[in-house]
Amino acid sequence: MNNQQQKWLYLVLLSLVWGSSFILMKKALLGVTPIQLGALRMIFTAIFLLAVAPKSLKKIQKKHYKYIVYTALTGTFIPGFLFAFAITTIDSSIVSILNSLTPFNTLIFGALFFGFAFKRTQLYGILIGLVGTLILILKGAALNPNQNYWYALLIIVASVGYAFNANMVKKYLDDLNALSIVTGNFLLLIIPATIVLAFTDFFTTFSFKDEVLMQSLGYLAILSIVGTGIAKTIYNKLVHISDPVFSSSVTYLIPIVAIFWGLLDGEALSPLQIFAGVIILLGVYLVNKTK
């Protein structure tokens, strides 16, 4: 299988996995708090990666660790908590659509800070996508007055973090394999995540008899191992064989899967919001158009 075929295969796999992660977070939050979800997700992923791929750490050189720290913070630590808080207030399907801003931010910050080219057509795509996002947020606030759509700003900030992560992996960690990057990220995160968890009441209230909690931990285990550990490795591999903008375009396919799960779970979605999603997709197409 050549690189062209591989990158499309990875893109589809990631859309299926990450598209399902929003409903998993929503279900996990029935038994844990947002802070606990963010911390436990990192801890579970770290334990999994350190158990199955400890040898990958040997490939990390001294020059890499600065960027391993940066990508751990911008691509995992900060977004992990932001998403957990946002999804407590906004429907998971809407969160997944807002996450589609990632390719826009990848392009913008790639041009501003990493020296990547910026085309006029891509600028038009960014502006169209922002219009779609604004419609989505305003209509969502009207359709769900009980939901606080200021939390949408958390997803936008998280998408900026993902943008920096993708650009740094491509520019500074291109000589390091994907598994080493991800394992290095979570090796650094396991201690701060444990400290954060210790400041909650998780350890004092934990009980194997708590069925809701145990179900939440089950959802978290799937989310951590498949949706974070394995998926992030595939994502970094995708960045290596393609480019940051193409790789971040997975966020445009993710809503298709997430909306499907959200509708099955009883979430509301208006025709105008679907139209806003189409506008965002049009923006993506222009951003990724090469000719």
Side-chain angles (χ1 to χ4, degrees):
M1 187 179 293
N2 59 39
N3 281 358
Q4 187 70 12
Q5 293 170 324
Q6 282 185 5
K7 73 178 187 179
W8 283 105
L9 174 62
Y10 291 158
L11 197 71
V12 173
L13 286 175
L14 286 172
S15 67
L16 292 173
V17 172
W18 279 341
S20 302
S21 66
F22 297 95
I23 195 67
L24 288 172
M25 281 191 280
K26 182 179 179 180
K27 295 298 183 183
L29 283 166
L30 296 176
V32 297
T33 67
I35 294 178
Q36 290 171 346
L37 184 147
L40 286 167
R41 185 177 180 180
M42 294 174 211
I43 293 169
F44 285 179
T45 305
I47 293 171
F48 167 72
L49 289 171
L50 293 174
V52 302
K55 293 182 180 179
S56 64
L57 295 172
K58 296 180 180 179
K59 298 180 181 180
I60 302 176
Q61 302 174 26
K62 187 177 180 180
K63 66 177 182 177
H64 294 135
Y65 268 103
K66 177 171 68 172
Y67 300 107
I68 292 289
V69 172
Y70 293 159
T71 54
L73 291 174
T74 61
T76 301
F77 190 79
I78 295 173
F81 291 108
L82 294 179
F83 269 91
F85 276 104
I87 213 163
T88 60
T89 306
I90 307 173
D91 284 343
S92 61
S93 56
I94 302 300
V95 170
S96 71
I97 297 173
L98 290 171
N99 189 44
S100 298
L101 286 172
T102 299
F104 296 145
N105 289 324
T106 301
L107 185 69
I108 293 171
F109 291 102
L112 292 176
F113 299 104
F114 297 92
F116 291 108
F118 197 96
K119 300 176 182 178
R120 183 180 298 179
T121 304
Q122 292 175 315
L123 175 61
Y124 295 154
I126 290 170
L127 296 176
I128 290 172
L130 290 176
V131 170
T133 302
L134 183 62
I135 294 173
L136 187 72
I137 293 173
L138 293 176
K139 182 58 181 178
L143 184 65
N144 301 291
N146 59 317
Q147 296 183 9
N148 187 351
Y149 267 74
W150 283 106
Y151 278 72
L153 293 175
L154 299 181
I155 306 304
I156 295 173
V157 173
S159 73
V160 171
Y162 288 148
F164 272 96
N165 172 73
N167 282 305
M168 282 188 283
V169 167
K170 184 64 177 179
K171 186 164 185 176
Y172 300 113
L173 297 173
D174 202 42
D175 59 334
L176 187 62
N177 71 66
L179 185 58
S180 296
I181 296 171
V182 176
T183 307
N185 285 161
F186 284 94
L187 172 66
L188 296 175
L189 291 177
I190 190 170
I191 293 177
T194 303
I195 293 173
V196 170
L197 186 63
F199 276 93
T200 70
D201 62 353
F202 179 80
F203 293 112
T204 57
T205 60
F206 177 82
S207 172
F208 284 106
K209 296 180 180 179
D210 188 336
E211 293 184 6
V212 176
L213 174 60
M214 297 312 294
Q215 287 180 352
S216 292
L217 294 180
Y219 289 126
L220 264 170
I222 298 171
L223 181 65
S224 303
I225 295 172
V226 181
T228 305
I230 296 175
K232 278 188 173 291
T233 303
I234 296 174
Y235 179 75
N236 286 336
K237 176 65 175 175
L238 178 60
V239 172
H240 282 158
I241 65 174
S242 59
D243 62 74
V245 175
F246 179 87
S247 302
S248 61
S249 294
V250 67
T251 57
Y252 295 116
L253 299 176
I254 286 172
I256 298 173
V257 180
I259 289 171
F260 170 76
W261 285 114
L263 292 175
L264 284 181
D265 199 50
E267 294 181 0
L269 197 67
S270 73
L272 183 57
Q273 287 176 302
I274 295 174
F275 176 68
V278 172
I279 292 177
I280 293 174
L281 288 174
L282 174 61
V284 173
Y285 168 74
L286 293 176
V287 166
N288 288 279
K289 189 176 180 182
T290 57
K291 296 183 181 180

